[in-house]
Amino acid sequence: MTYAERADAYAQGVAAGIIPACRWTVLAAKRHLGDRARESTDPAFLWRFRADAVEHICAFVESLPHVEGHLAEQGQKLLLDDWQIFVLGSINGWRAIESGLRRFRRAYVEVPRKNGKSTLLAAVGLYFLSVDGEAGAKVYSAAASTHQARIVFDTARTMAESATVVSQFGPQPLAAALGLEIQQHKMLLRNDGAAVFQPIASQTKSKDGKNPHLAIVDELHEHEKADVWNSMASALGARTHPLLIAITTAGSNVAGICYEIHRYLQSVLDGNRVDEAFFGIIYAADEGDDPGDPETWRKANPGLGSAKSEKYLADEWISAQASPVQMGEFLRKHLDRWTSVGAAAFDLDALSRAAQPGLTLESLRGRRGLLGVDLSLTNDLTTVAAVVPEGDGYIVKAK
């Protein structure tokens, strides 16, 4: 089976309920399958899913070595899971009919930790730098901190240094085959002085003025400000088919850029918004799922059994039951649920869906209820909340 066939088969398995998946994963799969149908039925549909483009990126990634753990010790190369082939195939395979340029300019992938996301991003970075065919390709690994930004970059650098490929000149290091000049803080192409791959942190003052062919934003939920995402997004216009991609776990900051993109993707997948240049998929547990059920774990963790072991997750579940705080960590990091931080972990997606922006205190006049008051001490906020019973639940209005 070709990579493109595996991408289609994965989407079909998810959509049919054969592969455990949450609502948002299913909607992403159905979007892909719907677009595949539109290729032959909708004359206004401007894109085609090109098997050669899927093959090109996936074959390149699987030529790279593992750099950590026992697989690296054994000298094994990367072996893509079907979900990773679906993601790579989507971002590189969908092409404009006339120009052949990539359809998707922005991509957002939300997946729990330990599913191999940093390794995948590192491989994608090397691909866009060296073999994608873009002159003067500039690839940035961007994150909230220098340490986080270097994780993807250092993984890519180690891949380039340790991989061996067979060419017409015999076995040689991947760096030599690709013409890479590897430095401590960046990688260059010897035959293209304008091409570079380097890490960049949120606190870096020179984020503006970049001209990215690929901007990788790792762990977007850790970004307190939208400066990195916005500066990279605004710089995409200078390239013919650039990509801004974020792969992140869920977080707790509903006022941050990550939750904003998370909600935007949900509106696209729900069909409430049309954005043909935006790709995204969310791997998570559904609301109401039992967090201790291995079936829930499989739904949220597409790399379970390969990148992530069920034994590891079972051990984490035991620890999670020790306290509400640890339970919140488990829900965010392993089930990709957006929750508050603290002694009681609130499901932030559920709260967002329950919001009634037009609710007024006047509409509650005459109703029985409770008032809760949290007084400020010096420079904090004072909050007053009215809690009124409504059916099986409550109406809450805070000021």
Side-chain angles (χ1 to χ4, degrees):
M1 196 182 297
T2 67
Y3 292 113
E5 290 170 340
R6 286 177 63 184
D8 283 341
Y10 175 78
Q12 290 163 357
V14 168
I18 299 171
I19 299 173
C22 75
R23 172 192 177 192
W24 304 110
T25 310
V26 171
L27 288 176
K30 288 183 175 180
R31 182 191 186 197
H32 173 80
L33 296 175
D35 287 348
R36 292 288 272 146
R38 291 170 68 192
E39 287 180 290
S40 57
T41 60
D42 184 358
F45 192 62
L46 304 177
W47 299 274
R48 293 292 181 267
F49 190 60
R50 285 180 35 184
D52 61 322
V54 180
E55 183 79 19
H56 197 251
I57 191 170
C58 291
F60 175 83
V61 171
E62 288 199 336
S63 72
L64 300 175
H66 282 277
V67 297
E68 294 180 345
H70 69 282
L71 294 178
E73 294 174 357
Q74 296 171 4
Q76 294 196 25
K77 296 186 183 300
L78 300 179
L79 189 62
L80 290 169
D81 289 339
D82 285 345
W83 77 273
Q84 295 171 318
I85 291 174
F86 176 74
V87 170
L88 293 179
S90 295
I91 63 177
N92 205 56
W94 282 108
R95 300 281 177 141
I97 297 174
E98 294 186 359
S99 65
L101 299 179
R102 267 183 294 270
R103 167 188 176 183
F104 296 118
R105 298 171 65 89
R106 292 181 299 154
Y108 178 85
V109 180
E110 201 174 282
V111 63
R113 65 181 305 187
K114 302 290 185 182
N115 278 279
K117 60 183 178 58
S118 294
T119 300
L120 187 65
L121 287 173
V124 170
L126 284 175
Y127 178 86
F128 273 70
L129 172 69
S130 59
V131 299
D132 192 42
E134 178 79 3
K138 297 189 185 302
V139 176
Y140 299 109
S141 170
S145 65
T146 301
H147 169 74
Q148 189 68 43
R150 287 199 65 96
I151 290 176
V152 171
F153 172 78
D154 288 340
T155 300
R157 185 180 66 175
T158 304
M159 284 178 175
E161 290 174 331
S162 60
T164 300
V165 296
V166 179
S167 69
Q168 58 181 334
F169 306 108
Q172 60 177 324
L174 177 66
L178 296 178
L180 295 177
E181 178 185 331
I182 300 177
Q183 301 179 9
Q184 183 177 359
H185 302 297
K186 60 185 175 182
M187 285 188 282
L188 307 170
L189 281 181
R190 292 192 178 91
N191 63 351
D192 186 346
V196 65
F197 184 172
Q198 63 184 132
I200 182 171
S202 177
Q203 62 266 33
T204 303
K205 295 182 179 179
S206 59
K207 294 184 294 297
D208 293 329
K210 303 297 183 185
N211 182 20
H213 177 50
L214 172 69
I216 299 167
V217 184
D218 194 16
E219 296 295 10
L220 185 60
H221 78 277
E222 294 182 355
H223 291 235
E224 294 183 3
K225 300 179 180 178
D227 53 346
V228 170
W229 179 270
N230 289 342
S231 65
M232 292 298 171
S234 64
L236 297 180
R239 295 283 181 174
T240 54
H241 60 162
L243 178 66
L244 170 59
I245 181 171
I247 299 189
T248 183
T249 56
S252 59
N253 181 14
V254 296
I257 182 62
C258 191
Y259 195 69
E260 178 182 327
I261 303 300
H262 166 91
R263 296 288 290 170
Y264 181 86
L265 172 59
Q266 288 180 329
S267 70
V268 172
L269 295 178
D270 257 337
N272 296 322
R273 186 188 303 270
V274 176
D275 189 340
E276 299 284 17
F278 184 69
F279 168 80
I281 191 168
I282 296 172
Y283 291 96
D286 282 311
E287 184 178 349
D289 283 345
D290 179 358
D293 187 347
E295 186 70 10
T296 302
W297 303 347
R298 284 186 284 273
K299 180 186 290 188
N301 294 271
L304 195 63
S306 54
K308 190 174 188 176
S309 74
E310 191 166 317
K311 174 63 168 60
Y312 164 78
L313 209 46
D315 291 342
E316 291 292 293
W317 170 243
I318 292 173
S319 299
Q321 298 174 78
S323 74
V325 173
Q326 289 181 315
M327 180 61 72
E329 287 288 296
F330 182 86
L331 294 175
R332 280 191 302 277
K333 293 179 178 178
H334 299 299
L335 297 186
D336 202 63
R337 298 297 303 176
W338 284 78
T339 66
S340 61
V341 175
F346 289 97
D347 186 329
L348 300 179
D349 274 342
L351 287 178
S352 294
R353 287 192 297 275
Q356 299 181 36
L359 182 67
T360 64
L361 280 174
E362 184 62 30
S363 66
L364 301 178
R365 182 179 294 276
R367 300 279 295 271
R368 294 182 63 85
L370 298 172
L371 286 179
V373 181
D374 182 5
L375 294 174
S376 54
L377 184 62
T378 53
N379 59 353
D380 199 0
L381 296 175
T382 290
T383 301
V384 180
V387 182
V388 177
E390 176 80 355
D392 294 331
Y394 298 90
I395 296 174
V396 180
K397 178 66 176 176
K399 181 180 177 63

